[in-house]
Structures are given as structure tokens and as C-alpha cells.
Amino acid sequence: MASPLPLRLLLAAALLASCAAQLDYAEPPDKQLVLKWADQLGDELWRLTTSVTRAHDVRARYKYLNASVKERSGAELLKAMIENVERMLKSKIVSVKCIMQKAEQLAESFDPLEYVNFTYHSAKCSPVNEEPSDSESCDDEYPYAPMYLEPDRQFSSIPVNRSHSSVHVPTNVFDLGGDVYDGIKWSEGLDEVFIQNLKSDPTISWQLFGGATGFMRMFPAMKWAQPIDLFDCRTRSWYIEASTCSKDVVVLMDTTGSMKGLRHTISKHTVRTILDTLSNNDFVNVFNFSERAQETVPCFKNMLVQATLENVNTLKDSLEIIDPEGVANFSQAFIQAFKLLEKSRNERDCGGNGTRLTCNQAVMLITDSVTGNITEVFEIYNRLNNGSTIPVRVFTFLVGREVTKVMEIKWMACLNRGVFKHIQSLNEVRETVFQYIPIVAQPLVLQGEVHPVVWTHADADVEDPKLAKWLFDVMENLEQKEKLDKHFRNKELYFSQREEDNVYKQTVVKKVWEPDEIKFQEYHLVTSVSVPAFERRMEYTTDNKTEAPSLLGIAGIDVPIPEIEKLTMPYKIGVNGYAFIVTNNGYVLLHPDLRPVSYGYLKDNYNSVDLTEVELFDSMSPAAPPRELPEKILELRERMVNHEDGEILNISMKYHYDDMRRVMSEERNYYFSGLEGTPFSLGISLPEGYGKFYLRVNDIIKDHARKGKPVTNYFQGNNWKVHPNWLYCKYFHGSLHNFTSPEREVYHFLESMSSTNFQWKEMFAGDPIGQEEDYSTRSTTPVNCDRPEITEDEYYCEKELMQMLVFDGRLTHEFFGDSWSFENTEEYLIKLYNTSLKFMATQSGLTRWQYIMDTEEGKDEISEFGDLFPHSVEEAWYKAAVIEHKHDPESVVISAPFDAGRKDDVPITMSYAIFPRDAGKEAPASVVGLQIQHRALYDRFMSITEEGTHHKNKTCAHEGLDCYLLDSNGYIVISETLEHTGQFFGEVEGAVMKEMVEQGIFREIPIYDYQSLCFTMVPDSSAAGGLWTPVAYAQWLISELLLALLRINVQQLWSLNSATATPLEYYDDDYLEEEVTEQPEQTTFGPTTEAPKKKMKMKRVAKPCDQKYNLYVFHPEYLECKDFQFTPSHCSRPYIPCRVPNTSLLLVVVNSMRPTCFSHLSAKSELVDYNDTEHPCHKLPLNKLPRSRFSACFTEDPREELDKYCGAAAETKVSHFALSLCGIMLYVTSKIL
């Protein structure tokens, strides 16, 4: 029976009333109420900031101390910077040339009869501090000279001896006879010039001389620490590039059916060894051929690729999937190789048609036999100028013991300016391959006058075999351990943790009977300068004819890149500006966005990051595709590659900071110039607007010295820091003056400046090197090696920086005194927001901080504020405050640590930029700030929304409203759900964030990371790699070395960088156990049964990849919300966005009762998909960009005598240890293959 109509109407009316009430409750409060909340919060935070930091008084103090604002000339700044850097680099050039000159003199005058009862300091065999050597490769009967070593801070605290050098000889080279022993004898005289170089330039790093026979003399003397020694200096870039210039190389690898088994193994190892002799200045491709030739890497088709570590590793990996089969077509393979090299010559205008060849080109053939005569191919494709010019050298490597048609393959090389070599076994590969180097170097040696100066690309010192194990060991020193421990204790407190993690590289310590151990090494990038030395002695043949001179060796010096960076005067560049260095290949040697290590992994491409990959043009489009090559950036790159002087102004650029979490777009100005005597160009990038001005200060130091007033009065206590990486004042002999911190060192010099007798001295200012010297790469002028010694107490200072520091010390001193008095309102706000400390950082790198009310209540138990944030202008809160000032001069930047909601309570950092004004101009001088507790801000915010509100349903505490405070990049500072703190707002309210982007409240800016790493899990089937303890090495040597060969893992065994780490992250999930099904072997005895489940150990490995970040920035023009009209789209809930006045915060109030679709908007990275293109094939467009080849290349000389090289099989003298080891390996191999 139906209900009576009146009753149904009453029920419907009640339901509608209830729904209406619910809808009313769910609607956001009106704009006026939200504006009131925002205004009150903004007013309190602004008053708190200005009262605690005394920002207005600080700004006025600059005027009181007569600081003036001046316009900065980018060109003049660059000129000063160039002079500063060049003085240091030219000093290294002089030093390395002195080594070269001395080597030639010693070799020319060498008389072996003068060396009776000779003994030498062996890096591997000499007793050290009266402890006998533990190396098995030493001759026990030879009396190696003992060494006495002690740690030296200048050389990374490695034990060294500055009074002599030590010698390293490769394991497969015999050191006590023949040319090797003679070279060790005469090169001992280099100690004299090594010591003189160090005395005249105490900042010099490792000095080296690598002999053409394989020995390397290094100064200061050190012990060789690698337990598995596979090092040969002739494979290092400083040696290869100085001896062979740049090269184009095509490798032809015979993969016919006859190359199966051991021959194929030797062939692959030969290709790898050839690739290891190449560097960033070389171009290469590898072909495998049988009936036809094809590139081993398909995407490298019909091109030569730059021999970067990344490309070389790709080529090496490609060898593992090749199976020999078929028959050989040598003609087709050589024609393809010659055509490819001809194409390269034409593109680079290498000459050859009536002109001198300027390019070194070679074909490397690896085969076991030759089928037929292909002389006609050479006549057609490798002859120019009517047959008088042979543009491409041909080197042939015949592999295997039983071979045929030796003469054919021999003359194939000899008719084409190359040599033939026979490789019978694996142990002969390296020494045999190296013998192509003196052939390519012959034209250089024969011209005899020009000694080209070569600078290498960047290398990580932890990858240098002579240093790797020592740098690992010194991490156990107390100072290094304390630094590392502090780093890990403070990880959760950093705002830019990834940047801090980049300081350390992981290394895996392999152990046999217990789990592997992951340890951390601090690393630095290094470039090297090297010069070839030539044999000057006239040698005669049996028929009394003179022989052509040969390569004597290469002199080299390591130059740490951080030492170059210190001379770029970052304090003059200012906040958000930076210096950078570009090589002749367009790669960055120095750049703030160069990130060699991520998550502890050293990347394959760390020394081949192109300028176009770090200078990101802003096309103003959120849909900008990856790897764009904008015209302006290409122009900048090409002009710097070509060593031009110039400027490019007003380029719209985007850049990320704070661990790729924040982004900014602004116009920038670029100034650049070449560095004389190097292939490098130095540039600076300055932001348009505030980057044009700087603050000039008075000489307070001179004034106080005259008045007898010590400037150290302004630097009392322990609540101040200076920038740890800037150059203030230093002793040349820094290792002899032990300061416990940069602050103690600065304070020491400030004490000296109180005297009127203090003298300002510049680095190398008094050095005799100057304009009269010729530092060009083709210079033939001998250098003056008689330079004055620098005494123990000599120092150098950056005068302008020290004056700025003392000015800032005086200015900040009164604001950070011992006592602090409060006004009532000030104390009320401090307590209301639980303010823990205030701080100030300045343009001179000075950072001061003070805990509130002189109590320890707000002090962190682990670290001081200055320990966490010592880098002043480079800190994220400093950069953000200056950027914010550009949009709103009366605004404080507020931010919370990322993902802070997982922690109990976190500090909220508030920073405000001080821009003193003078004559209508202003310049960024400092940033003041404070820290409050997140919980206090949360409580106060919720309280404000309740004050003056009569309805509980119109407060942020009501379930119908969600209230958020967002920072200028869309990260949550305050949410009703505490776990949201530090998250990106789009991950919580994606639809609302999309709506705000569409409304123009936020701007979406895509950022591409071309130096990223992606991780994958793979079976942990290899135990090779990493560093070994001596005990573990002894246990493992026999069994695992042979097993490595059984797996045909020759690359692991003969790796040139034997100390490189196995890539393992230090997170708990790096090693996982997964259930896998092992496939049973197929047999004829019956049906297979299901394989048992088995636990397999998996490891996490890193691979290079490109990633995209969609980052967001608050639009500066959105200042008020009174005109905001919500227009539904993206199924967004209704919301009201209001800027919190005088802050960088945005208050967003969302109607949480309204339905919304699930929409996720993330600021985290996503993999860039290049249509399944394998890495690094998507980077091939960079291969076509301009490069500047060396101008001092010598590629041909009519006096070349190839007949003496052109025939013998490998005649390598090896040590007894090497013979025994390789014999065992070959025996096992013959049983298996």
C-alpha cells in the first residue's frame, strides 16, 4: 500500500534540506575569509622575519658602512678570471716541459757503463718503511732500493717521499734488462727536475714520465697498492693523446667459421685493447665481417663515433653477441672501411689531394688468415696524389698459433704505412697492440722540433689505478672517517641531499668467506697536461746508416679540476651565476650541473657530458621535446669549441636546483674566451638584471691596521663559517701548515693582516713565466726551468674577497652578539612559532647563525647550522630568496624539507634577500633568515583559520575543507595531514594542480636530465670487480681467475681500470633473493621434469638513461585571489588559491566533499622513451656537432722507416710471474675450448 502523499512530500523535503545543508557545509568559505587567513598569517610571518633578523637594520647598515652598488662588466670579469686561471695552467705547462727537456738530455747523454751496481726505487718491489714487498712479480735476488714513506696532505694523505720518485713496471714487462732497464737508469735523473718543479710550484700534483717501453716514473715516490696489477701507463689518455694525436680508427674483426674458440677469444680481447688506447679526441667504429661487413652496434651505421667511455663500452658489449660463421670477404670489408674514412676526411677537410694530410687514420684488421690478394683494393681506395700519398695506415693482427699465408697479411700492412703482428696467445695481446703507437707517432718524432702540449678530458682520481687503492685506504684516516660519519648522520637534515651524495663514490670490497662490504670514497676530477719526448741520440745500423729517432716517452702532470675552479673567483660572479669550462669537443670540464656520481655510482659519461646537455634553453613550451639543439646554444658551443672571444646576451634559460626539485627560468648573459695553451674555453653565465650589479666595499683591513684595531674582533666564537671551497688566503706549502678547518686558516691570516707590514700576494704573480713565453701547442721554444723556489712561509690571497669578508664580518658581528634582548611583541612571535635560530649568509661566503635567546633549546643535537649549510650563495634557500626578490622585494621564502612528513618534527627555513640600494641601483649582498618548527607553524595556521569564524564547518579543521600551504614550486609546507609535508601538491590533489596550471597560477617547466641513471635487477653471477683485501685476493686468485676465463670474461681479467667498483647502491634492496626456475639440461633419457625453485641472489645495477621532470613554479603575476573565479575542468574540486602576503606561500583551500576523478600529477622523474632506442644511440646527433681537432698533429713524413717494424711476431719479454700465470690460463683454456 502506497504511503500517503503528504508523508512522502515531508520525507522528500527533509531529504532535500539535509542535502542542502551538507552542500552548504561542503562549500569553501568565501574569498574574504580566505583572504583574511592569508593576510593574518602573512603579516605574522613577515613581522617575525623582519624582527628576528633585523632585516631593515641590516640593509641600512650597508649604507652606513659606505658600501656602493656598481655595475658589473661581464667582459672585464671574464678577463680577470682568465688571467687568474692561465697563470696557474701556464705554470703546469712550464713544469711538464721541463720534465720533457730533462728526459731528452738524460737519454742523449746516457752511458750504461756509468751505472755500476745500479738499484732503483720500485713502486711494487722496494721495501717500504723496512717492510719487505709482498708482490709476487719481483725478483727476490735484486736489491731494490728501500723507500721510506709518510702521509702527505697535499697528495690526498697518501704515504709518499718527496726526495725521490718511484718506478712502476707493468706485470708483463721485464724490468731488469734491455731497453726497459736502461730507461729506468737514465730517467732517475728526472728526480732533479721533479723536485725543482715542486719547489717552484708547491701546488703541483703528481708528476709522471711514461717510457715508450712501458715503465712509469712517478713523483713523489709511492708504493703501488693494487693487489692485481694490470696497469700500463701507455693506455692512459695523457700518454696516448700526446704520442698519437687524434685518430680515426676502423676495426675489422674477422668472424668467419675458422675464428671459433680461442682465436675468437683472442680476437675480442685484441679489439677491446685497441679501444682502450682511444680517447675522447678519437673517432672509431668496429665491424665484424665474413661474407659481408657490418657494424657491431647497428645504430652506429655508416659513421665514426667519438671514442668516449660510453661509446667504447657500448662497442665492447657488442662483441659478446657475435658468433663466428661463414667465409671472409676481405675486399668488401676494406672497401667499406676506406669509404667511411674517406667520408670523414672530406667532412673534416683533412687534406691529402695535393696538400699535407692532417688526420691520423687507420684500419685495424684482426684475422687468422687472408684469402687472396686485395692489392687492387688498396690501389683504388687508399692512394691519393697519383699513388704518392697513403691516407690510411693498415695494421694487421694475425691471431692463433697455427697460421697460414703470413706473407700476404704482412704485406697488406707494410704496403699501407702500417705493421703486421702475430698474436699467439692472450698474454701477448696488450704488448702487441701497443706497438702500433710508435708507428703512428713516427711523423711526430721525425719532425723533432714541435712538442705538442696536450690536455686530457676529465678523469676521476678514484679511477686512476696508481691512486685508487690508496684513496680507498685513506678513507680510514680519522679526519676522513669523521667527515663521512657526519655526512651520514646529517643525511636527513640536508635540503639537497643528492648533491651531498655526489661527493662520495661507492666501492665494493670483495670477500670470500663473508659478505661483500660497501664502502665510500671521496673523489675529485682531474685533467692532465702532457708533452712527448723524443730520442735525440743518433743510432747507427750495421751498414753505418743512421736510424730514424724514436719516441722516448711522455711527460705528464695531473691538475685537479677543483684547484682550477677555485681560481674562477665565484664571489665575483655572484649568486645564480657560474663559471664553466668547455673542451675542444664541446664537453664540460667544469660546470655546476656536471654530476659525475649519482647515488654512489660513477657514470660512464661523466667525462663526455656535452654543453648542450647542461645548458637548457627555455622554449616556454611545456611540450618541449627532449634533446633539442637550440640555435643560440649551438652558437655558444661552437664559438667556445673554436676558442673564440665573445658574448651572447639575453638567452632565455631554465635551470634546476635543490636536487632537481625546483626550477627557475630567466634570461642569462654569456661571456667566453679561450684559455691560452689549452684546448679549453672558459665562460661565465650571469643572470640578467640583478646579475649586472655588485656591491663594492671599503678597505676595512687597511683602515683597521692603521688604527691598530684587529679585524679578528669580528670573528670570535664558533658560530661562523666561510665557504669551504673558495680561495681566501693559503700557504703554497699548505701541507706544512696544518689547520683544522677553513675558518682556522682564515683567522690565522686575519691575525697577520692586523699589521701594517702585511703584504698582499697573488698566486704565481712573481713567477718569471709571462708574455715572453710561447704556450701554444706548436711551440718550439725551450722553457726556462730555472725558476725561483717558493719558501715554506710564502702565501697568496684573494685580496678583494678578503676585504669583502672583513666588511661582512664587521657588518654581521653586531647582529650576532653574545646577548639578545627582545621586545614583547617579538618574543611573543618567537615563542608562538617556536623559532629556533636565525642566520645570515653573505656574498663573501660568510655564514653566521645564532640560537634564540642564547639557549640550547633549538640547537640540533647532531650538527651546527653552519655544518649543514656552509656554502652561502650556493645554498638553495639563498638562491630562492634572491629570485623571490626579483618578483617581490618584500617577500620571504619559506620551504620545508622534501618528504618531511615521515619525520617527527622538522625545521621550516625562512629566508629573505638583502638588496642595498645606491644611486638608483641595487645588488644582492646577503640573505637573512630563521628557522621555526613545523609543528608550531601548523598549530598557528590551524588556529588562525578558527579565529573569528563562527561556523566550525568553515574552518580548516572541518572534514569538508582541505587547506594547504604550498611553496613557490608547489611543494606542501602545511597540510592537515602531516604526512603530506614536503610532498608535491599534484601527488595529493592532482586535478586541482592541473587546474591551477591551466589558470596560470603555476607554470609547468619540463626539465630533462641527460646525466641520469636507471636501475634494474640482474642475477649476481659475477664476483669480479671491486677492491680486494689481501687475504681475500690470495684465496680467490687461482680459482676465480681461471673461472673468469672459463666464462670467457677476458675483459674482467684484463680491465685497464682494475679498481673500478661493481655498481651497487647502498640501499637495503640492492641485493634481493628471488625465486627463479633453472632450466634443466635437455637429455635423451626421457621427458624433462619440472625444475625446482631456487633462491637466486640478485643485484641492482645502474645504466645511463635520460629522464624527464615536470617541475612547476608559482607565476609571479598572480598576486591576489579576489578576482579568482573557479571554472571546473579536469574534474577538479572547487578551490580558492590566495597568495600569503609577504611570503612565497600560496594558501589553497579545497572543497573535499565534492567528488573528483583520480588524477595524479608528479614532479618526480619519468624515463624518456626514444622508441625503444638503446642507449647511447639516441645521443648520435651530438656526434655531428663541431669539434676542434688538435692543430699540432703530424700524420706523415717521407723519412718513416717502417721496414724495421714490419714483420716480426710479438717479442714481448715478460716476468716469470706473468709467464706462469698466463701458462696456467692457456692450459685451462685449451682444455675447455
Side-chain angles (χ1 to χ4, degrees), residues 579-596:
F580 59 101
I581 295 178
V582 175
T583 71
N584 58 301
N585 290 303
Y587 299 149
V588 290
L589 190 76
L590 171 66
H591 195 283
D593 195 30
L594 177 60
R595 290 169 276 121

Side-chain angles (χ1 to χ4, degrees), residues 255 655 692 888 1077:
T255 53
Y655 61 93
K692 288 185 174 182
D888 184 359
T1077 302

Side-chain angles (χ1 to χ4, degrees), residues 429-447:
V429 170
R430 298 183 73 204
E431 192 64 25
T432 304
V433 167
F434 293 161
Q435 292 180 35
Y436 91 84
I437 295 173
I439 307 303
V440 177
Q442 261 205 332
L444 170 66
V445 177
L446 288 169
Q447 59 83 32

